[in-house]
Amino acid sequence: MNANNFEMNSSVNRRRFFLTGGFAIATTTLLAACGKGAQSPKGEYPRIGEVPPTTGLPNGEPNDEVLLRTATSLEFNAIDTYKKVLALGLFTGSSAGTAAVVNRFKADHEAHAKALSGIITEAKGETFECANEQINKLYINPALDLILGNSDAGIEPSDTPLEDVMALALGLETLAASTYQFYVSMLSQPKLRAAAMGIGEQESRHAAVLAQAINPGVAGIGPSTNKDTGKPNPAAVPGAFGSLGTIAVTVGKRSEAGTKTTLNMETPSLNSMAFEYAKCS
Amino acid sequence: MSAPTTTAPPKQPTKSDIAILQFAHGIELAMTALYTKASAAAGKDLKVVLDLFGGHHLAYAQSLAGLLGRSAATTQNASFYTAFLSAASSGSDAELAGTFLSLENSLVKTHLGVLGTITGTDGAQLIASIISVQGRHAAVLASLAGKKGLGDILDNAAEPLDSKTYPA
């Protein structure tokens, strides 16, 4: 007898055992897969418990109309946010002049939305004249909660709401500018690319004005780093080329360590676009 | 909207794109040289800004040269450079900033025209990334030029540059 208790010359040796066992397992698996046994009357895989039925989204292509609808939705995000910000009554005293800037930016976004809707209508498309829900959900609502507080979520209001509102506005304007720049590579027609960047360029100017308001003077024009946090300071001209990278917005009540919460914004991608099947609610 | 096209736009500049981008390249080279001239005439603070922006225009020229390869312009647009040399190299800091404000605004309009004409997406992406920052340049220069009104900073009534007025 060897170490495995199988006689090497026996009819049931180790090699034959594996061959026979393997064949039996393979055969059983094959029969189970092909069979329509009592446990799967509809030919479905058996399961335990109830699974709610799901309905998949219709297919959507990021064509010119969808890109312009999405850009319009971002304009409405900005319009709605500026309306909320103006209603807070933060722009008083030495900040009273900022209200005029915010009002001008809001008016610009209204003009941009109208221009985009005009292009869509002219091309026999369907306009999308409301804010992008996904952008609200992912970026704007969390930012406003951090600034204004949300007792249900246990979030205390910011101790520097005006500073944070300006940071959010800078983030939104930068996001809008980056979105138009990004969509240039996706729009099929040159005239639409130019129309998009004509608006995107104005969003860039908004961002530069806000950056100078937050970090004024020559020191706030080019890129610089905050010595305390190690993070980039707001800059009117942060680089030679328009960036498509993540946009960091730092807002909220300072922690004991002196830090605020940073939200990272990104240009609307496939999961945030106003596809043709999307409707304003 | 019109039926979606089934043919993807080209990535590389087409033959007709190349001529348009060559003009933009020559203008960017001239802008780099004009900023260098202005920097020598500017006060301490403005010099910092002009050096920064001049460096950006050099980066645009280099990127366009990379895109165009052997088709790139070999020299700056001499007629454009000559037309603005005097204004770009003399005057107070506010006047210098005002000169470059109008030049940046013109370049934004010029590049928007380029973007609305070329079909290659590589060139379109590059030009879009340039436009975005030149708008920022203009906003900053408007403040340095002493413009107080928001309209002076945000609105752009400049005319685009064209190759008939400024032949290479």
Side-chain angles (χ1 to χ4, degrees):
Chain A
M1 196 174 235
N2 69 6
N4 293 326
N5 287 336
F6 285 110
E7 291 286 352
M8 293 304 289
N9 58 355
S10 164
S11 60
V12 190
N13 61 20
R14 175 187 166 93
R15 182 182 184 84
R16 182 166 293 278
F17 173 78
F18 281 129
L19 277 172
T20 311
F23 177 76
I25 291 167
T27 309
T28 308
T29 306
L30 182 67
L31 289 172
C34 297
K36 291 183 179 178
Q39 74 279 17
S40 57
K42 294 177 185 174
E44 297 169 348
Y45 290 109
R47 64 189 182 198
I48 300 170
E50 288 295 317
V51 177
T54 56
T55 307
L57 287 171
N59 287 330
E61 289 291 323
N63 55 28
D64 289 349
E65 180 179 351
V66 170
L67 296 171
L68 295 176
R69 280 161 57 94
T70 308
T72 314
S73 72
L74 269 190
E75 297 291 349
F76 278 94
N77 284 119
I79 293 165
D80 292 351
T81 305
Y82 283 134
K83 280 180 181 170
K84 285 177 188 169
V85 163
L86 284 166
L88 295 175
L90 293 170
F91 305 118
T92 55
S94 61
S95 304
T98 309
V101 176
V102 172
N103 270 311
R104 164 68 200 248
F105 288 2
K106 182 170 77 70
D108 283 350
H109 289 295
E110 287 165 348
H112 298 163
K114 192 176 175 185
L116 289 166
S117 292
I119 295 170
I120 295 168
T121 304
E122 191 182 340
K124 309 277 188 273
E126 191 178 339
T127 59
F128 189 85
E129 296 183 329
C130 59
N132 189 310
E133 284 183 30
Q134 191 75 346
I135 297 295
N136 272 337
K137 183 179 149 189
L138 290 176
Y139 308 137
I140 298 174
N141 291 343
L144 288 174
D145 281 349
L146 285 164
I147 296 169
L148 304 174
N150 182 336
S151 54
D152 293 340
I155 301 171
E156 290 185 63
S158 170
D159 37 13
T160 53
L162 183 60
E163 179 186 305
D164 290 358
V165 158
M166 296 295 278
L168 174 60
L170 174 59
L172 285 178
E173 296 291 354
T174 308
L175 179 71
S178 299
T179 300
Y180 286 106
Q181 185 188 322
F182 175 47
Y183 284 3
V184 160
S185 63
M186 300 172 78
L187 288 163
S188 68
Q189 299 176 47
K191 67 174 184 180
L192 293 180
R193 296 175 190 162
M197 270 318 292
I199 297 173
E201 180 264 329
Q202 291 187 340
E203 317 292 30
S204 286
R205 288 181 194 243
H206 289 179
V209 169
L210 287 165
Q212 273 286 282
I214 297 168
N215 187 15
V218 173
I221 293 173
S224 62
T225 305
N226 185 310
K227 287 176 185 169
D228 296 329
T229 63
K231 293 180 178 176
N233 288 320
V237 189
F241 298 92
S243 169
L244 298 179
T246 302
I247 300 152
V249 176
T250 304
V251 291
K253 187 177 172 66
R254 286 187 195 281
S255 69
E256 289 179 3
T259 57
K260 294 184 171 196
T261 305
T262 298
L263 300 170
N264 290 319
M265 296 182 175
E266 291 179 356
T267 54
S269 190
L270 292 174
N271 63 351
S272 314
M273 288 184 176
F275 288 104
E276 284 146 331
Y277 56 78
K279 308 285 179 198
C280 287
S281 54
Chain B
M1 297 287 280
S2 53
T5 175
T6 53
T7 308
K11 279 175 67 67
Q12 292 289 316
T14 62
K15 278 185 181 176
S16 58
D17 290 354
I18 287 171
I20 297 162
L21 290 166
Q22 279 172 335
F23 176 72
H25 183 211
I27 293 290
E28 291 296 351
L29 285 170
M31 279 294 279
T32 308
L34 288 172
Y35 266 108
T36 303
K37 285 284 182 188
S39 172
K44 188 182 166 189
D45 279 355
L46 185 63
K47 179 178 164 50
V48 172
V49 178
L50 297 180
D51 286 346
L52 177 70
F53 292 0
H56 291 173
H57 284 278
L58 177 61
Y60 305 149
Q62 288 170 338
S63 298
L64 284 164
L67 180 72
L68 291 166
R70 284 187 291 179
S71 303
T74 51
T75 56
Q76 67 188 20
N77 186 306
S79 53
F80 173 76
Y81 176 78
T82 306
F84 292 97
L85 177 59
S86 173
S89 51
S90 60
S92 67
D93 279 5
E95 287 169 340
L96 282 174
T99 296
F100 280 92
L101 165 63
S102 62
L103 287 175
E104 291 285 358
N105 276 335
S106 292
L107 256 72
V108 166
K109 285 290 179 75
T110 305
H111 288 319
L112 283 172
V114 170
L115 193 59
T117 311
I118 61 174
T119 53
T121 53
D122 284 353
Q125 285 177 64
L126 174 59
I127 293 293
S129 73
I130 292 172
I131 290 170
S132 184
V133 175
Q134 289 184 344
R136 287 174 178 259
H137 286 174
V140 168
L141 288 163
S143 296
L144 295 172
K147 309 284 185 189
K148 301 291 181 195
L150 270 175
D152 294 326
I153 299 170
L154 301 175
D155 298 333
N156 183 1
E159 291 294 322
L161 307 169
D162 66 81
S163 56
K164 287 178 184 168
T165 311
Y166 302 108

